[in-house]
Amino acid sequence: EARLVESGGGSVEAGGSLRLSCKAFGFTVHEYDMGWYRQGPGNECELVSGFAPDGSTYYADSVKGRFTISQDYAKNTVNLQMSSLKPEDTAVYYCAAPSPRPCEDASGVGQGTQVNVSS
């Protein structure tokens, strides 16, 4: 059964850093488009960063220069290094493949890791 498990969320002060990790079970993560999505209070689900099988990456304008996505082939994980965190980065973060409703779908199977950034 294919599934994803996120870890690494927590609470930090503005300017701090966190590293999120998403471990894949039942499939090889680097063979698929994968993304980190987030949904903050009252906000829409948004794609924060993505990683394609050809090695190309995507970053939302709001996180460029602060977040770095990477893959660990040996551990079968997709990671998101977040630095210079801002209060507006506060959200539940989800690791998922692209879909019409990635946050909703991931939340529905118990995924997600909370990130809280205080000012």
Side-chain angles (χ1 to χ4, degrees):
E1 178 185 355
R3 61 188 179 100
L4 297 162
V5 178
E6 301 97 338
S7 62
S11 297
V12 296
E13 294 185 348
S17 299
L18 285 172
R19 181 180 174 84
L20 306 183
S21 184
C22 171
K23 185 168 179 61
F25 297 89
F27 68 102
T28 302
V29 70
H30 68 259
E31 295 180 351
Y32 296 87
D33 288 336
M34 296 297 301
W36 280 98
Y37 299 81
R38 69 184 179 188
Q39 188 161 24
N43 294 335
E44 297 289 324
C45 180
E46 66 169 327
L47 174 61
V48 175
S49 183
F51 200 112
D54 65 1
S56 59
T57 57
Y58 163 85
Y59 296 96
D61 287 343
S62 59
V63 306
K64 282 181 181 177
R66 301 189 297 121
F67 291 11
T68 303
I69 193 169
S70 63
Q71 290 193 349
D72 186 322
Y73 286 18
K75 295 181 179 179
N76 203 25
T77 60
V78 180
N79 307 305
L80 188 68
Q81 178 67 45
M82 306 186 296
S83 303
S84 301
L85 283 162
K86 304 176 180 180
E88 51 264 43
D89 294 319
T90 294
V92 179
Y93 284 71
Y94 303 94
C95 172
S99 75
R101 302 175 302 179
C103 294
E104 183 174 342
D105 292 345
S107 177
V109 293
Q111 288 183 233
T113 186
Q114 179 72 48
V115 171
N116 294 313
V117 184
S118 59
S119 57

